Amino acid sequence: MKKYLNFSLVYAVAAMAGGVFYREFTKFHSYTGATALGKVHTHLFLLGMLVFLVIALFAAHYDLQKIKTFRVFLWIYNIGLPLTAAMLFVRGVPQVLGLALSDAVNASISGIAGIGHILTGTGIILLLLSLKKLADNGG
């Protein structure tokens, strides 16, 4: 359980840092439009901190580590979510600065962000399958 609470804490701190950066960076540059930077905070809070808080509750009652799909979830999810957040950051900073990115750079950012979203989504499916296995085995 402690491991999942630690994951939750790391994501919470990263979410807060992302939120503060978004607020201060856009304020410093007098930017008032929509930007991908605003999504970093919520992605990390909800998909990071909240998900691992719920997992910690399950871990308090069940040995999740014995389920192979859960172990795979941990790896995939903890690669996908930070990758997604990083690409939101990489997309948002040029938006605020008003930088024109080439089509190749835009496509690269979108592609990497897509991979992050696919990994995160796959992780969520693996987590749900793991919890289903718990339920199928009577807890």
Side-chain angles (χ1 to χ4, degrees):
M1 181 170 116
K2 184 177 179 182
K3 175 181 181 177
Y4 311 119
L5 290 174
N6 286 337
F7 278 131
S8 185
L9 177 62
V10 168
Y11 280 117
V13 169
M16 287 185 262
V20 169
F21 179 80
Y22 162 69
R23 184 189 70 225
E24 295 303 321
F25 190 67
T26 55
K27 186 167 64 170
F28 181 78
H29 292 284
S30 302
Y31 187 84
T32 57
T35 174
L37 282 177
K39 294 177 173 61
V40 173
H41 174 74
T42 52
H43 272 69
L44 292 174
F45 256 133
L46 294 175
L47 294 174
M49 183 195 74
L50 191 63
V51 166
F52 280 100
L53 281 176
V54 171
I55 289 170
L57 292 174
F58 276 97
H61 299 288
Y62 306 106
D63 185 11
L64 295 172
Q65 283 295 130
K66 71 179 181 184
I67 302 169
K68 183 179 180 183
T69 53
F70 182 78
R71 293 189 308 268
V72 175
F73 150 78
L74 282 176
W75 280 100
I76 289 178
Y77 196 77
N78 283 313
I79 292 169
L81 183 54
L83 183 60
T84 299
M87 288 300 102
L88 286 169
F89 183 84
V90 168
R91 170 74 69 203
V93 168
Q95 287 173 334
V96 172
L97 296 176
L99 300 176
L101 302 176
S102 70
D103 290 342
V105 171
N106 270 324
S108 297
I109 293 170
S110 295
I112 296 169
I115 291 169
H117 278 87
I118 289 167
L119 291 173
T120 303
T122 301
I124 290 170
I125 297 300
L126 289 169
L127 174 61
L128 295 173
L129 289 172
S130 300
L131 296 177
K132 185 178 180 319
K133 282 183 186 179
L134 268 181
D136 290 345
N137 294 332

